[in-house]
């Protein structure tokens, strides 16, 4: 789950990380009021769940409350990478002498979070990692041990020469790691971590993603959820208890079981195409889930064929077949559908599908190739 910069900054404040004062506004008039109460030059910042807002024109300095109001008026409603801006953060402007990057991300290969620090902040950290990896400092974090002050100091001193600045940065780094653990984050970033001309270190930007697997112990997340900003397909999937991840290909996949879903995606790739999604309808064979799955996949205009791959164990193939029939009747998809099902009640399922003119393929390879062939024909 993603949260906005203004929310991440609240968590930073609670964790003792210095952040310039500010609040969020949904109207230009509110933005003016906040600018008035700050009484200095402010920055008006688009609150959308995407990076690179600065480059997209979503981060602007305003010297007066008047200016803050008119800039907020420009930014509210703006489209940034397909997302509409509905809120702006109005925050005290900071003078910048240098910009660094500090973040904690999960490294899947080593199965641990890694602290990443780079003196080359502000710009896209992915670019720095690609072009000059030597500018990036990494420290693996141990889930069973806290980050010690000497760890944080070592990292901070490798970025900053001035001891006073390094000390402030070390404290911020330590607190950032603490905020990461305390809030079950999957990612936390300060980019840029700014040093001002008078050597004050402060977090000018803040990004936090929560690890959804920990939602059960964070009732406070519900209030922070911005349903406006979430992907409608992923929300609908969540409401229907489906595991869904959107991808960029054109083969829509409906599968029961995460393992089979992964295997299906692998096979789509091996046969030379790209899956449009990961989707696990789970162990039940509730027709409602099949209908929801198909509706979610049909939202994606990239999808050129829908592939069902069902293994009937506890799931009964005939129930899924009935779900497919209902989904086709209700949603009238304009897309080719191919189905492979095997296991419990597969013969009944084939009969049900044959009656409505849907063919089933016997094996995975056949059905995947069929889906790809039909998708290519439709494209
Ligand atoms: P992002 O583009 O979405 O990462 O948004 P940021 O909050 O990181 O802002 C982008 C850039 O705008 C920063 O890297 C800074 O260079 C600049 N910026 C943001 N806030 C301030 C500020 O308070 N003062 C100054 N001088 N520049 C700022
Ligand atoms: Mn940033």
């Amino acid at each position: 789950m993603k949260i906005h910069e203004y929310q991440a900054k609240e968590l930073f404040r609670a964790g003792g990380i210095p952040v310039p004062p500010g609040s969020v506004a949904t109207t230009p008039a509110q933005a003016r009021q906040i600018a008035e109460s700050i009484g200095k030059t402010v920055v008006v910042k688009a609150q959308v769940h995407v990076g690179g807002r600065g480059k997209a024109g979503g981060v602007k300095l305003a010297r007066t409350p008047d200016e803050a109001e008119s800039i907020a008026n420009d930014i509210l409603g703006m489209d940034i990478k397909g997302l509409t801006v509905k809120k702006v953060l109005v925050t005290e402007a900071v003078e910048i002498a240098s910009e660094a990057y500090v973040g904690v991300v999960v490294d899947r290969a080593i199965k641990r979070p890694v602290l990443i620090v780079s003196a080359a902040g502000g710009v896209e950290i992915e670019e720095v990692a690609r072009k000059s990896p030597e500018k990036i400092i990494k420290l693996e974090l141990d889930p069973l041990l806290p980050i010690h002050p000497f760890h944080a100091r070592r990292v901070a001193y490798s970025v900053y020469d001035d001891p006073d600045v390094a000390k402030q940065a070390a404290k911020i780094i330590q607190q950032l790691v603490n905020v990461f653990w305390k809030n079950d984050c999957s990612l936390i970033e300060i980019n840029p971590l700014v040093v001002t001309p008078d050597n004050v270190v402060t977090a000018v930007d803040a990004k936090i993603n929560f690890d959804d697997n920990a939602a059960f112990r964070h009732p406070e997340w519900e209030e922070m959820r911005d349903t406006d900003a979430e992907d409608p397909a992923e929300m609908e999937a969540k409401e229907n208890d489906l595991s869904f991840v959107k991808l960029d290909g054109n083969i829509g996949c409906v599968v029961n079981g995460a393992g089979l879903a992964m295997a299906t995606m692998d096979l789509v790739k091996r046969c030379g195409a790209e899956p449009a999604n990961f989707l696990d309808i789970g162990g039940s064979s509730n027709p409602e889930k099949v209908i929801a799955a198909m509706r979610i996949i049909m939202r994606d205009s990239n999808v050129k064929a829908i592939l069902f791959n069902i293994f009937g164990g506890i799931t009964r193939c005939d129930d899924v077949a009935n779900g497919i029939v209902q989904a086709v009747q209700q949603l009238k998809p304009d897309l080719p559908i191919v189905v492979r099902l095997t296991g419990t009640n597969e013969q009944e399922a084939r009969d049900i599908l044959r009656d409505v003119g849907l063919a089933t393929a016997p094996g995975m390879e056949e059905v995947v190739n069929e889906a790809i062939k039909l998708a290519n024909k439709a494209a």
Side-chain angles (χ1 to χ4, degrees):
M1 169 177 163
K2 294 178 179 178
I3 59 171
H4 289 298
E5 175 192 2
Y6 77 92
Q7 296 166 314
K9 282 183 167 169
E10 287 302 322
L11 295 175
F12 278 20
R13 283 192 188 101
I17 300 169
V19 173
S23 357
V24 71
T26 53
T27 65
Q30 276 173 357
R32 157 192 279 278
Q33 274 173 11
I34 298 164
E36 268 165 6
S37 72
I38 291 173
K40 296 181 188 157
T41 299
V42 295
V43 193
V44 182
K45 309 181 76 177
Q47 299 296 288
V48 280
H49 287 167
V50 66
R53 297 163 302 164
K55 277 190 187 156
V59 176
K60 293 233 160 75
L61 281 174
R63 275 168 297 269
T64 63
D66 266 350
E67 217 183 333
E69 182 169 357
S70 85
I71 288 172
N73 191 44
D74 294 342
I75 294 181
L76 287 164
M78 187 186 257
D79 178 283
I80 299 184
K81 299 183 184 169
L83 300 171
T84 307
V85 181
K86 300 202 169 147
K87 292 175 183 170
V88 289
L89 171 63
V90 182
T91 182
E92 188 178 317
V94 173
E95 269 191 80
I96 299 181
S98 75
E99 297 183 298
Y101 170 95
V102 186
V104 180
V105 299
V106 177
D107 184 333
R108 286 167 189 273
I110 59 166
K111 301 174 183 163
R112 284 185 179 196
V114 178
L115 171 70
I116 296 179
V117 179
S118 173
V123 290
E124 282 162 20
I125 190 71
E126 294 83 356
E127 279 293 295
V128 181
R130 210 164 20 241
K131 288 188 185 147
S132 29
E134 74 286 352
K135 285 193 185 151
I136 292 189
I137 296 155
K138 291 185 183 177
L139 178 73
E140 288 178 22
L141 301 176
D142 189 321
L144 298 177
L145 298 173
I147 175 169
H148 290 296
F150 78 89
H151 285 137
R153 274 200 300 274
R154 196 169 66 207
V155 173
Y157 274 96
S158 58
V159 176
Y160 298 109
D161 296 329
D162 183 302
D164 179 42
V165 169
K167 254 181 233 158
Q168 294 175 61
K171 197 167 163 214
I172 292 171
I173 288 167
Q174 201 181 348
Q175 281 158 332
L176 190 75
V177 172
N178 292 339
V179 171
F180 175 88
W181 287 124
K182 182 165 179 236
N183 294 283
D184 283 314
C185 300
S186 58
L187 177 141
I188 192 165
E189 280 182 346
I190 309 176
N191 189 25
L193 180 68
V194 161
V195 182
T196 67
D198 0 325
N199 283 348
V200 177
V201 187
T202 182
V204 159
D205 192 6
K207 180 171 175 180
I208 285 182
N209 295 351
F210 294 134
D211 179 349
D212 290 332
N213 295 307
F216 71 96
R217 58 184 179 205
H218 292 283
E220 78 278 12
W221 288 359
E222 235 8 78
E223 267 169 46
M224 302 176 92
R225 191 180 289 281
D226 183 349
T227 47
D228 270 351
E230 286 188 23
D231 177 45
E234 295 204 358
M235 276 211 335
E236 191 174 354
K238 217 170 283 166
E239 279 160 19
N240 289 282
D241 222 7
L242 303 167
S243 311
F244 171 81
V245 180
K246 187 184 164 346
L247 300 166
D248 298 329
N250 66 3
I251 309 291
C253 304
V254 185
V255 188
N256 69 324
L260 188 60
M262 299 294 280
T264 308
M265 290 160 59
D266 282 351
L267 197 55
V268 168
K269 271 181 123 63
R270 203 180 70 188
C271 294
E274 293 289 332
N277 64 279
F278 167 95
L279 195 156
D280 173 10
I281 60 169
S284 106
S285 30
N286 178 351
E288 287 305 317
K289 280 201 176 183
V290 178
I291 297 168
M294 196 127 116
R295 196 166 43 228
I296 289 163
I297 285 182
M298 285 167 60
R299 282 173 178 275
D300 179 354
S301 58
N302 288 338
V303 173
K304 294 289 177 272
I306 302 179
L307 158 60
F308 280 84
N309 189 8
I310 305 297
F311 177 78
I314 297 169
T315 305
R316 290 173 36 183
C317 290
D318 54 332
D319 282 345
V320 176
N322 280 323
I324 297 174
V325 171
Q326 286 180 35
V328 169
Q329 284 166 349
Q330 272 186 35
L331 306 171
K332 305 196 172 33
D334 203 7
L335 296 163
I337 297 174
V338 295
V339 186
R340 177 251 181 174
L341 27 78
T342 188
T344 312
N345 293 357
E346 66 177 78
Q347 195 48 52
E348 289 85 338
R350 290 222 180 83
D351 295 342
I352 292 166
L353 292 173
R354 191 180 327 100
D355 286 347
V356 296
L358 281 171
T360 54
M364 270 176 72
E365 195 121 19
E366 285 95 333
V367 80
V368 166
N369 279 319
E370 182 69 9
I372 295 171
K373 199 176 82 196
L374 293 170
N376 288 343
K377 213 186 283 175

